[in-house]
Structures are given as C-alpha cells and as structure tokens.
Amino acid sequence: MNPKQIACVVLLLIIGAMTYTAQMIHKKVTTTRTEAEDAETAAVTAENERSTAEIETAVFKTETDDIRRFLRSWLPAIDHVQTQQEAEQTIELSLRERGINLVRSRKTEPKQAAGNKIIPKSIVTTLTIEEEFAKVLNWLGDIERRLPTARMKVVQITGGSTGAQLKMDVSFETPIFDLASVDADKKKPAPKPSSAGKPTTKS
C-alpha cells in the first residue's frame, strides 16, 4: 500500500476507536442515569412507605389506647403470679390470714395450653374447706382480690358440721402469663426469604 492508503486505514481505525469509545461512554452514561432514576424512585417510595407507616402507627396507638391502659392496670396482678409455686404460696397465705384451719382436701395441678404463647399454662386449684360462715365467704373474696385473673370453675356451698359452719367445694384456674416470650418474639429479626425455586447458575 502506498502512504495515502496507509494513512486512510489509520484514519479509519482512529475514527472506529473514537466511535466505539463514544458508544461505550454513552451506554455507561445511560446506565448511570437509569440507576440514578431508579434510586430516586426507590427513595421516594421508601419515604412514602415510612410516612404511611407513621400514620398507621399513630392511628393504631389512638385506637388501642384504652386497651393498652387496661393492660397496664393489670400488669401488677399478672407479674404477681408467674409460677405454680407463687400461686400455691398466695393461696396458702390467704388461708392462714383468714383463719381457715379445716382444709378437708386440696389439690393443685398444672394445665398446659398448647399453642398459647401468652398463657402457656394455668394452675387448677381444687379445695374443700369447712369453717365459720363469715370466714368462708371472706376467704373467697380474698382469693378473688389476691388472684384477680383467676377463673372460678366450681363454687359449691353446703352446710358444715355445725350450724355456724359452711362447707365449700371450690375449683379455680389461675393463668400463668409469659409476656417476656412475646416481647422476645417481637425482637427477633424477620426470616430471610427462601432461595428455594430460584435457578442456579453454573460457571
């Protein structure tokens, strides 16, 4: 090739390189602009979701204010009895302070509640006591005061050994709350989405 042909080839190569470089730069600029627009859109969406969540949270707090106040008022009673031993000690103390000396029978047994995290179990207490009229009724009222969450299942009153005495057969169920486990579940991180079903790539 003569010098003119060589010069033309070199010029074409330079033009081709410049064109290729320009195309690559344009492609990169377009990709960067698209990514920036996507990021801006995602940011706007996230901000809208955050605002919506704040509004929903405020509405939820307002709607549940009475319920939350009710729960707070019951927390001392719930915290008072957390184990079977505490429930038994509360009953024993009530019997002693109310002067109930004649306990004909007494049985305490746990009752499991499968699938209930808030109240995983309860304590069923069955008693037969015999004492003076006033002592028996005052003791029943004292139990309801000491164990306000307890649910009376059976209350049967008959005459006692003497005219001044009453015999009471009573059975009540005391729930054992476990609010700590509920709080622990709330603090657990959300499970990551499963990768099952996603195609795998081979190198």
Side-chain angles (χ1 to χ4, degrees):
M1 289 188 297
N2 57 44
K4 288 184 179 181
Q5 291 175 330
I6 294 174
C8 288
V9 171
V10 172
L11 181 60
L12 290 174
L13 290 174
I14 293 174
I15 293 173
M18 292 176 65
T19 302
Y20 175 77
T21 302
Q23 289 177 344
M24 293 298 296
I25 293 174
H26 176 72
K27 183 177 180 181
K28 187 172 183 179
V29 169
T30 301
T31 302
T32 303
R33 183 181 294 119
T34 301
E35 291 176 350
E37 291 174 352
D38 291 342
E40 184 178 355
T41 301
V44 171
T45 302
E47 178 63 23
N48 291 337
E49 291 176 351
R50 185 189 65 81
S51 299
T52 302
E54 286 182 349
I55 294 172
E56 291 176 349
T57 301
V59 171
F60 178 78
K61 286 183 176 180
T62 301
E63 292 177 345
T64 60
D65 185 59
D66 291 341
I67 296 175
R68 287 183 290 111
R69 279 205 306 267
F70 177 79
L71 176 60
R72 284 195 297 270
S73 68
W74 278 90
L75 281 178
I78 292 173
D79 291 335
H80 177 65
V81 177
Q82 292 290 304
T83 65
Q84 179 175 343
Q85 183 180 6
E86 290 174 345
E88 292 176 348
Q89 288 174 347
T90 300
I91 296 169
E92 182 63 36
L93 181 61
S94 178
L95 289 169
R96 186 166 62 250
E97 290 187 354
R98 293 296 168 177
I100 306 295
N101 299 313
L102 185 55
V103 180
R104 294 191 175 277
S105 65
R106 178 174 174 177
K107 182 174 66 173
T108 304
E109 55 186 350
K111 178 182 176 182
Q112 302 297 325
N116 191 336
K117 290 185 177 181
I118 299 178
I119 309 176
K121 71 175 182 179
S122 57
I123 307 301
V124 179
T125 304
T126 304
L127 283 167
T128 299
I129 62 177
E130 187 172 344
E131 259 296 350
E132 297 175 7
F133 179 89
K135 287 185 178 181
V136 171
L137 296 185
N138 286 338
W139 174 80
L140 184 62
D142 189 54
I143 283 296
E144 292 183 339
R145 179 182 64 83
R146 293 176 185 266
L147 300 173
T149 60
R151 178 172 66 92
M152 292 293 169
K153 302 177 69 177
V154 175
V155 178
Q156 184 175 357
I157 298 176
T158 56
S161 302
T162 68
Q165 289 184 333
L166 288 180
K167 178 184 176 184
M168 176 186 287
D169 295 298
V170 60
S171 177
F172 52 90
E173 186 174 344
T174 306
I176 303 298
F177 291 83
D178 187 8
L179 300 180
S181 65
V182 179
D183 292 336
D185 287 343
K186 290 180 180 179
K187 294 178 181 178
K188 288 182 180 178
K192 294 181 179 180
S194 173
S195 59
K198 291 184 179 180
T200 57
T201 59
K202 295 182 179 180
S203 55

